[in-house]
Amino acid sequence: MTAVISDLQTAPRPARAMTYEQLLEKVRYEGAYPTRERAEQAVRLVVSGLGRQLTGEERVELAARLPHEAARVLTEQVPDVQPLSGWALVKDLAGRAGAPLATTRWDTGSVLSAIAALAGPELLTRILNQLPAGYALLFGRAELTQAA
């Protein structure tokens, strides 16, 4: 719990571009969820999963750009020792939610594309450089690889 408090207290707190309610409405609209509650379930599931993957300055900076409620969900998670690939994250989230893979993939993309907008291109590039393969598409970016 100390890490959670530390992450939230030491993160620079710029003016938030979006409230938590606005984030939920964005996810609800872009994910075509029938209710705000369903959008919130997706946000909590995916943000907690991302919180188990991110470390370092990228984690702190992203928390500073998220609405406070989402930042808490992110920073309450203890990062995994070995980060999961993008597909492994989707499978892990599906198992935790007891949901089909296709539904969880949709949830993950809907939430992470909204988070990408809050992060901005520079921070998102740094986040993607930190994470294993398979996250770019989840964040709504093309995943480019160099030819061997």
Side-chain angles (χ1 to χ4, degrees), residues 18-115:
M18 187 179 291
T19 67
Y20 187 62
E21 290 73 26
Q22 290 169 328
L23 173 62
L24 294 179
E25 283 305 311
K26 180 176 179 68
V27 170
R28 179 180 177 195
Y29 177 78
E30 292 180 6
Y33 295 108
T35 64
R36 181 180 180 275
E37 291 75 23
R38 178 63 186 92
E40 185 168 22
Q41 289 172 348
V43 166
R44 290 187 173 279
L45 177 70
V46 175
V47 171
S48 66
L50 183 60
R52 290 188 295 277
Q53 305 308 305
L54 281 181
T55 61
E57 288 300 311
E58 291 77 16
R59 176 185 172 101
V60 173
E61 286 183 45
L62 181 59
R65 295 180 190 193
L66 293 176
H68 184 73
E69 297 86 340
R72 286 193 60 140
V73 171
L74 181 88
T75 58
E76 285 175 350
Q77 307 307 308
V78 175
D80 290 343
V81 175
Q82 183 65 36
L84 300 172
S85 69
W87 182 240
L89 174 70
V90 170
K91 291 193 305 189
D92 177 67
L93 294 176
R96 290 172 186 268
L101 285 172
T103 301
T104 306
R105 168 55 181 92
W106 182 266
D107 291 349
T108 305
S110 297
V111 173
L112 291 183
S113 63
I115 288 176

Side-chain angles (χ1 to χ4, degrees), residues 2-13 60 63 68 75:
T2 305
V4 172
I5 293 169
S6 175
D7 283 352
L8 289 175
Q9 288 177 343
T10 61
R13 300 310 263 181
V60 173
H68 184 73
T75 58

